[in-house]
């Protein structure tokens, strides 16, 4: 069993599974967020449910955080191992001749997304935690829409969010399809998987960009 | 077409212990019909005539099937052409006045022995770990056609078996991963009934040896598949992963 944990293939599968879990989470996150544009009342309702449902708060949320940690810790560990596998580098390495930029720079796009997560946690998660558990404020099922839109008022934050989503798209462009290959799925469904994952990699981040820009351009006027 | 004058930037390293460096050389009057190795022969003759140490490089069959010739040429394993080894790379792929960078295959598991010669015995050790089937060959071998094998499986096994173990996959991989090589070696047995007897042990032992040798992990960039002189497909890596996972479950 210890052989399995140390094995290169098992580690790749851990990357793939945690990645797929985060991809799935992204779809759920997007579904809720898009309601902030089309139906603010629904957004408030769903956000309140996510914020106060015991299962979501105390079971799913820790699983999600664990998924993020596993994915980036393993990603960084693999990157270090891979770097060590070629101690002396080439003087000339023509990487673009045989592989896409996205596939060769998962660590860069990944670290940018990780840095974004830091800001995103500060913006929403830390705020929620202190609002609910530290300040001990009473439940207010109508606050979420306004809080969210206000977040996108500063230009700098909107820009950082948009750039991060572009990098996320590049990460997903290679990573989503790659996770299937890592788990051994390379068969007659390959082209269908490629198409689906690449469409997903564009559509979801583009949707998040749309939401950020929409709120920035339509601030709440008091 | 007129002949070419070229500048070569070549990695020179006295032995496995010395520190190497890039050295510039000039060669002139190179015919476009020459193979890359013939061009190297011209350079070496020039060096020998001057009393200098010729550039050491691996080569054997010079017809693209032995897997000996290596060389990382202008940032690519076996140079800019596709589906060829260095011996089959023609000088017509280059232009008069070009500067060509020539380095050894780089990987921790492929230590440089001298100049452009690397030690690829890590591949042999991976093969020893499981790249075989146990058959009694003492004269009473059964007829090859006695076992029915689906055409498609036979074809795919043959495709995997065309791997010549040259190491271009490792050299070109940004992680110096050997998964295309091991994938091919696992696949050629996994697809055939003869390979099933030792299947569970084989993939686990070969992957274990691959990891022990210090090769990197696969990031699925697909660079290996592009640079492989025999066109081994990424499908073999997926098959190895499947084999490995099922073998691990079986124990």
């Amino acid at each position: 069993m210890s052989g399995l944990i140390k094995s290169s293939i098992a580690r790749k599968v851990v990357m793939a599974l945690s990645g797929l879990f985060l991809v799935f989470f992204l779809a759920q996150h997007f579904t809720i967020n898009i309601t902030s544009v089309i139906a603010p009342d629904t957004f408030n309702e769903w956000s309140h449910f996510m914020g106060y449902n015991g299962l979501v708060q105390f079971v799913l949320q820790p699983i999600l955080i664990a998924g993020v940690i596993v994915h980036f810790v393993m990603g960084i560990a693999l990157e270090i191992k891979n770097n060590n596998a070629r101690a002396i580098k080439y003087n000339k390495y023509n990487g673009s001749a045989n592989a896409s930029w996205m596939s060769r720079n998962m660590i860069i796009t990944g670290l940018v997304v990780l840095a974004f997560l830091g800001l995103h946690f500060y913006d929403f998660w830390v705020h929620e935690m202190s609002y609910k558990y530290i300040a001990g404020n009473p439940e207010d099922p109508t606050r979420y829409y306004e809080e969210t839109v206000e977040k996108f008022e500063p230009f700098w934050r909107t820009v950082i969010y948009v750039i991060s989503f572009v990098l996320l798209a590049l990460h997903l462009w290679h990573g989503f399809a790659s996770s299937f290959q890592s788990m051994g799925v390379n068969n007659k469904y390959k082209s269908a998987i490629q198409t689906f994952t690449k469409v997903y990699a564009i559509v979801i981040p583009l949707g998040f960009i749309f939401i950020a820009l929409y709120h920035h351009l339509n601030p709440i006027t008091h | 077409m007129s002949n070419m004058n070229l500048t070569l930037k070549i990695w020179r390293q006295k032995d496995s212990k010395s520190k190497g460096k890039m050295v510039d050389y000039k060669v002139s009057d190179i015919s476009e019909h020459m193979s890359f190795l013939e061009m190297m022969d011209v350079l070496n003759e020039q060096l020998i005539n001057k009393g200098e140490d010729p550039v050491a490089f691996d080569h054997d069959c010079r017809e693209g099937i032995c897997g000996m010739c290596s060389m990382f040429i202008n940032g690519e394993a076996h140079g800019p052409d596709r589906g060829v080894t260095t011996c089959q790379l023609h000088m017509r792929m280059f232009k008069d006045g070009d500067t060509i960078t020539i380095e050894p295959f780089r990987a921790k598991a492929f230590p440089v022995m001298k100049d452009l010669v690397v030690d690829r015995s890590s591949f042999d050790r991976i093969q020893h770990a499981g790249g075989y089937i146990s058959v009694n060959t003492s004269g009473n071998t059964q007829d090859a056609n006695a076992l029915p094998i689906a055409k498609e499986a036979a074809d795919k096994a043959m495709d995997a078996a065309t791997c010549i173990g040259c190491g271009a996959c490792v050299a070109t991989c940004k992680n110096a991963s050997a998964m295309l090589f091991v994938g091919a070696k696992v696949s050629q047995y996994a697809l055939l009934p003869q390979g099933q007897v030792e299947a569970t042990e084989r993939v686990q032992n070969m992957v274990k040896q691959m990891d022990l040798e210090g090769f990197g992990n696969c990031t699925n960039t697909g660079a290996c598949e592009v640079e492989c002189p025999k066109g081994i497909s990424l499908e073999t890596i997926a098959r190895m992963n499947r084999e490995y996972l099922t073998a691990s479950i079986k124990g």
Side-chain angles (χ1 to χ4, degrees), chain A residues 1 3-13 16 77-100 102-107 174-175 177-188 190 194, chain B residues 11 13 22 72 74-77 82 99 101 103-109 169-177 179 203 207 210-211 214-227 233-242 244-245 248:
Chain A
M1 195 62 197
L4 181 65
I5 292 162
K6 281 189 200 141
S7 106
S8 49
I9 294 177
R11 286 177 178 183
K12 288 305 302 178
V13 171
L78 286 171
E79 179 67 20
I80 293 168
K81 231 174 126 41
N82 293 341
N83 251 309
N84 291 340
R86 180 170 292 130
I88 303 170
K89 310 290 175 207
Y90 289 110
N91 278 286
K92 189 169 179 184
Y93 182 76
N94 191 2
S96 60
N98 45 41
S100 70
M102 284 71 85
S103 71
R104 288 180 288 121
N105 294 287
M106 291 298 278
I107 190 70
H174 175 70
S178 175
S179 60
F180 287 92
Q181 163 80 9
S182 288
M183 293 188 302
V185 183
N186 186 336
N187 49 27
K188 62 182 172 181
K190 186 185 170 181
Q194 291 273 340
Chain B
W11 181 260
Q13 184 173 334
M22 299 300 287
F72 208 70
N74 276 350
E76 286 183 73
R82 294 287 172 255
T99 298
T101 307
E103 295 173 82
F105 281 1
R106 294 264 185 226
K108 206 176 89 187
C169 47
V170 173
T172 203
C173 175
K174 77 176 191 69
N175 305 333
S177 168
M179 289 215 187
V203 66
V207 169
M210 169 181 83
D211 291 345
F215 290 106
N217 300 272
C218 176
T219 308
N220 306 321
T221 68
C224 52
E225 180 183 58
V226 176
E227 295 293 341
S233 154
L234 280 187
E235 232 184 288
T236 62
I237 299 182
R239 186 176 297 105
M240 169 178 68
N241 293 355
R242 283 201 299 276
Y244 185 82
L245 294 172
S248 299

Side-chain angles (χ1 to χ4, degrees), chain B:
Chain B
M1 191 181 147
S2 61
N3 288 352
M4 290 175 272
N5 296 325
L6 303 164
T7 304
L8 308 173
K9 286 181 177 297
I10 303 178
W11 181 260
R12 299 305 307 263
Q13 184 173 334
K14 207 164 146 261
D15 52 42
S16 57
K17 301 214 168 40
S18 328
K19 240 184 113 171
K21 63 171 193 300
M22 299 300 287
V23 179
D24 288 11
Y25 296 99
K26 297 249 184 236
V27 283
S28 46
D29 208 25
I30 298 296
S31 156
E32 61 163 350
H33 303 298
M34 278 184 187
S35 83
F36 200 84
L37 296 188
E38 284 169 326
M39 185 277 294
M40 291 299 289
D41 291 338
V42 170
L43 169 71
N44 275 346
E45 201 169 317
Q46 209 172 286
L47 291 176
I48 291 166
N49 285 340
K50 280 199 282 184
E52 288 177 34
D53 192 22
V55 179
F57 61 89
D58 269 325
H59 62 108
D60 190 10
C61 75
R62 296 210 179 195
E63 55 186 16
I65 55 165
C66 77
M68 268 318 274
C69 57
S70 48
M71 296 197 203
F72 208 70
I73 302 160
N74 276 350
E76 286 183 73
H78 299 307
D81 208 356
R82 294 287 172 255
V84 294
T85 50
T86 306
C87 61
Q88 296 172 303
L89 175 68
H90 279 93
M91 291 313 293
R92 70 178 71 100
M93 294 298 292
F94 302 92
K95 291 194 305 288
D96 184 36
D98 273 1
T99 298
I100 307 173
T101 307
I102 310 167
E103 295 173 82
F105 281 1
R106 294 264 185 226
K108 206 176 89 187
F110 285 172
V112 174
M113 295 164 83
K114 183 176 164 58
D115 298 338
L116 304 171
V117 177
V118 295
D119 179 1
R120 283 168 281 184
S121 56
S122 47
F123 269 14
D124 298 340
R125 291 187 290 275
I126 293 172
Q127 280 287 64
H128 295 167
Y132 54 82
I133 54 167
S134 304
V135 189
N136 186 347
T137 53
S138 58
N140 52 359
T141 330
Q142 70 166 3
D143 186 81
N145 291 321
L147 280 173
I149 296 167
K151 173 80 167 72
E152 203 197 341
D155 286 349
K156 285 194 166 180
M158 191 62 207
D159 287 347
T162 54
C163 167
I164 53 177
C166 65
C169 47
V170 173
T172 203
C173 175
K174 77 176 191 69
N175 305 333
S177 168
M179 289 215 187
L180 195 69
F181 168 75
V182 184
K185 297 303 175 192
V186 165
S187 284
Q188 75 184 58
Y189 298 111
L191 287 156
L192 299 176
Q194 290 90 338
Q196 299 316 306
V197 183
E198 288 140 315
T200 308
E201 289 298 304
R202 174 181 303 112
V203 66
Q204 294 190 88
N205 290 341
M206 290 181 81
V207 169
K208 191 176 164 197
Q209 189 61 39
M210 169 181 83
D211 291 345
L212 277 177
E213 297 290 348
F215 290 106
N217 300 272
C218 176
T219 308
N220 306 321
T221 68
C224 52
E225 180 183 58
V226 176
E227 295 293 341
C228 176
K230 299 296 156 189
I232 305 287
S233 154
L234 280 187
E235 232 184 288
T236 62
I237 299 182
R239 186 176 297 105
M240 169 178 68
N241 293 355
R242 283 201 299 276
E243 288 278 313
Y244 185 82
L245 294 172
T246 46
S248 299
I249 291 164
K250 281 184 197 160

Side-chain angles (χ1 to χ4, degrees), chain A:
Chain A
M1 195 62 197
S2 68
L4 181 65
I5 292 162
K6 281 189 200 141
S7 106
S8 49
I9 294 177
R11 286 177 178 183
K12 288 305 302 178
V13 171
V14 168
M15 269 323 262
L17 288 173
S18 54
L20 283 179
F21 169 66
L22 296 176
V23 163
F24 179 72
F25 163 73
L26 217 52
Q28 176 253 316
H29 196 337
F30 177 75
T31 308
I32 295 176
N33 283 21
I34 195 70
T35 60
S36 70
V37 172
I38 52 181
D41 290 339
T42 312
F43 181 72
N44 275 332
E45 202 181 309
W46 287 2
S47 300
H48 191 69
F49 171 80
M50 297 302 280
Y52 286 89
N53 181 282
L55 182 71
V56 174
Q57 280 293 295
F58 303 112
V59 181
L60 298 183
Q61 182 168 263
I63 291 175
L64 173 65
I65 293 171
V68 172
I69 292 172
V70 165
H71 194 69
F72 84 76
V73 168
M74 188 61 97
I76 291 170
L78 286 171
E79 179 67 20
I80 293 168
K81 231 174 126 41
N82 293 341
N83 251 309
N84 291 340
R86 180 170 292 130
I88 303 170
K89 310 290 175 207
Y90 289 110
N91 278 286
K92 189 169 179 184
Y93 182 76
N94 191 2
S96 60
N98 45 41
S100 70
W101 187 91
M102 284 71 85
S103 71
R104 288 180 288 121
N105 294 287
M106 291 298 278
I107 190 70
I108 293 175
T109 52
L111 286 175
V112 172
V113 172
L114 182 62
F116 164 76
L117 274 185
L119 173 69
H120 193 53
F121 255 60
Y122 172 77
D123 280 353
F124 293 95
W125 190 78
V126 173
H127 167 76
E128 275 300 301
M129 292 299 119
S130 65
Y131 182 94
K132 282 188 295 200
Y133 302 120
I134 298 168
N137 286 314
E139 290 189 23
D140 175 7
T142 58
R143 67 189 161 94
Y144 306 97
Y145 174 72
E146 207 159 308
E147 283 177 4
T148 304
V149 177
E150 271 171 9
K151 275 282 184 295
F152 291 102
E153 226 166 73
F155 182 67
W156 65 267
R157 184 182 273 114
T158 310
V159 169
I160 290 178
Y161 271 61
V162 168
I163 292 171
S164 304
F165 291 133
V166 171
L167 272 288
L168 174 67
L170 297 173
H171 198 73
L172 290 175
W173 181 266
H174 175 70
F176 195 3
S178 175
S179 60
F180 287 92
Q181 163 80 9
S182 288
M183 293 188 302
V185 183
N186 186 336
N187 49 27
K188 62 182 172 181
Y189 303 115
K190 186 185 170 181
S191 64
I193 290 171
Q194 291 273 340
T195 309
F196 174 74
T197 54
K198 293 198 162 155
V199 167
Y200 188 99
I202 300 282
V203 168
I204 297 289
L206 210 59
F208 278 115
I209 289 175
F210 167 73
I211 295 168
L213 289 177
Y214 182 86
H215 291 320
H216 179 70
L217 297 173
N218 298 285
I220 295 171
T221 43
H222 294 283

